[in-house]
């Protein structure tokens, strides 16, 4: 199914961070559509080194609220999406990724050989940037979710301010030290659409060729 009613430009312009939600569940088909759109997000080398844990149970959302120092969004929203970054994903064979990309014609033999060598990931490991790389990929997927939610007529909020270890415990990954929590996003039907807080003039944050401060 697809209930997308807004263009990408409209979704970008109308998206708001909504922290309070109506007490109604999400249509499962709508949630499925949202997740289908989320996993289309790009990632470096198509490694897909990010996962989404969908928490809808009362117990799970309560635990996430407690992990977020009592913030109400997880209690009110019918779904909380926890974006998990896996800095070690590159070390697996991941043959399915390469085979699918080769079969579709997206990758030629040279690119697949580069993927198989993992040269860039060895360099990231040496520079201590594997976690940063995986978190970046997870944040791209989270952005897809927020824009897709807006396009589907849903409200969302990216959440800051939580204890990563408590979040990991709530979703059952506290035993895996390698995994990182990138962000949580609440999704549901908002009580109201808050006004746009505004943005600085573009000339203060967009520069040509060189950064100015």
């Amino acid at each position: 199914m697809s209930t997308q009613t807004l263009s990408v430009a409209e979704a970008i312009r109308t998206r708001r961070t909504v922290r309070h939600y109506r007490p109604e569940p999400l249509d499962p088909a709508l949630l499925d559509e949202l997740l289908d759109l989320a996993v289309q997000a790009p990632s470096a080398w198509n490694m897909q080194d990010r996962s989404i844990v969908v928490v809808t149970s009362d117990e799970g959302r309560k635990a996430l609220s407690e992990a977020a120092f009592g913030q109400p969004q997880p209690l009110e929203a019918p779904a909380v999406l926890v974006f998990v970054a896996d800095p070690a994903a590159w070390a697996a064979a991941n043959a399915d990724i390469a085979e699918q990309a080769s079969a579709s014609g997206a990758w030629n033999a040279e690119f697949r050989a580069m993927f198989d060598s993992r040269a860039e990931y060895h360099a990231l490991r040496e520079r201590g940037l594997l976690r940063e790389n995986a978190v970046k990929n997870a944040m791209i997927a989270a952005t897809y979710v927020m824009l897709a939610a807006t396009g589907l007529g849903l409200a969302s909020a990216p959440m800051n301010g939580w204890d990563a270890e408590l979040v990991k415990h709530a979703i059952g990954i506290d035993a895996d030290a390698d995994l990182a929590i990138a962000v949580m996003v609440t999704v549901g039907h908002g009580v109201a659409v808050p006004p746009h807080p505004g943005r600085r003039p573009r000339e203060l944050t967009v520069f040509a060729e060189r950064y100015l401060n």
Side-chain angles (χ1 to χ4, degrees), residues 134-209:
V135 168
K136 286 177 182 176
N137 291 330
M139 293 302 295
I140 293 171
T143 300
Y144 265 52
V145 157
M146 290 184 284
L147 293 179
T150 301
L152 293 169
L154 298 171
S156 67
M159 290 191 63
N160 199 4
W162 30 262
D163 183 300
E165 294 308 313
L166 291 179
V167 174
K168 290 176 73 172
H169 180 72
I171 61 173
I173 60 169
D174 44 331
D176 195 325
D178 287 335
L179 296 176
I181 304 301
V183 69
M184 296 195 297
V185 177
T186 51
V187 179
H189 299 280
V191 170
V193 178
H196 196 307
R199 298 290 186 265
R200 288 175 168 169
R202 197 176 72 181
E203 58 267 23
L204 295 181
T205 55
V206 179
F207 310 109
E209 306 297 339

Side-chain angles (χ1 to χ4, degrees), residues 3 23 26 54 63 78-79 82 94 98 111 116 160 163 167 179 201 212-213:
T3 57
L26 283 178
V54 184
V82 184
N94 296 306
F111 196 92
D116 289 339
N160 199 4
D163 183 300
V167 174
L179 296 176
L212 301 176
N213 57 19

Side-chain angles (χ1 to χ4, degrees), residues 116-135:
D116 289 339
S117 76
R118 303 291 199 278
E120 184 171 329
Y121 283 91
H122 288 292
L124 288 171
R125 180 176 61 182
E126 291 173 4
R127 295 161 61 199
L129 296 177
L130 287 172
R131 183 184 185 279
E132 179 180 316
N133 182 70
V135 168

Side-chain angles (χ1 to χ4, degrees), residues 20-169:
H20 296 286
Y21 299 85
R22 301 199 303 267
E24 60 186 86
L26 283 178
D27 181 336
L30 202 59
L31 181 57
D32 281 345
E33 174 75 354
L34 180 65
L35 296 171
D36 282 345
L37 293 170
V39 297
Q40 293 300 316
S43 56
W45 290 95
N46 198 29
M47 193 61 70
Q48 301 165 65
D49 48 354
R50 72 290 183 272
S51 299
I52 306 170
V53 178
V54 184
V55 180
T56 58
S57 68
D58 291 344
E59 179 183 5
R61 291 183 294 110
K62 182 176 183 292
L64 291 176
S65 175
E66 292 172 353
F69 311 111
Q71 292 185 66
Q73 299 96 299
L75 294 176
E76 295 184 17
V80 185
L81 309 185
V82 184
F83 289 78
V84 180
D86 184 1
W90 68 279
N94 296 306
D96 61 313
I97 294 175
E99 288 168 4
Q100 186 176 42
S102 298
S104 70
W107 290 3
N108 59 25
E110 180 182 6
F111 196 92
R112 177 163 182 174
M114 292 170 64
F115 174 84
D116 289 339
S117 76
R118 303 291 199 278
E120 184 171 329
Y121 283 91
H122 288 292
L124 288 171
R125 180 176 61 182
E126 291 173 4
R127 295 161 61 199
L129 296 177
L130 287 172
R131 183 184 185 279
E132 179 180 316
N133 182 70
V135 168
K136 286 177 182 176
N137 291 330
M139 293 302 295
I140 293 171
T143 300
Y144 265 52
V145 157
M146 290 184 284
L147 293 179
T150 301
L152 293 169
L154 298 171
S156 67
M159 290 191 63
N160 199 4
W162 30 262
D163 183 300
E165 294 308 313
L166 291 179
V167 174
K168 290 176 73 172
H169 180 72

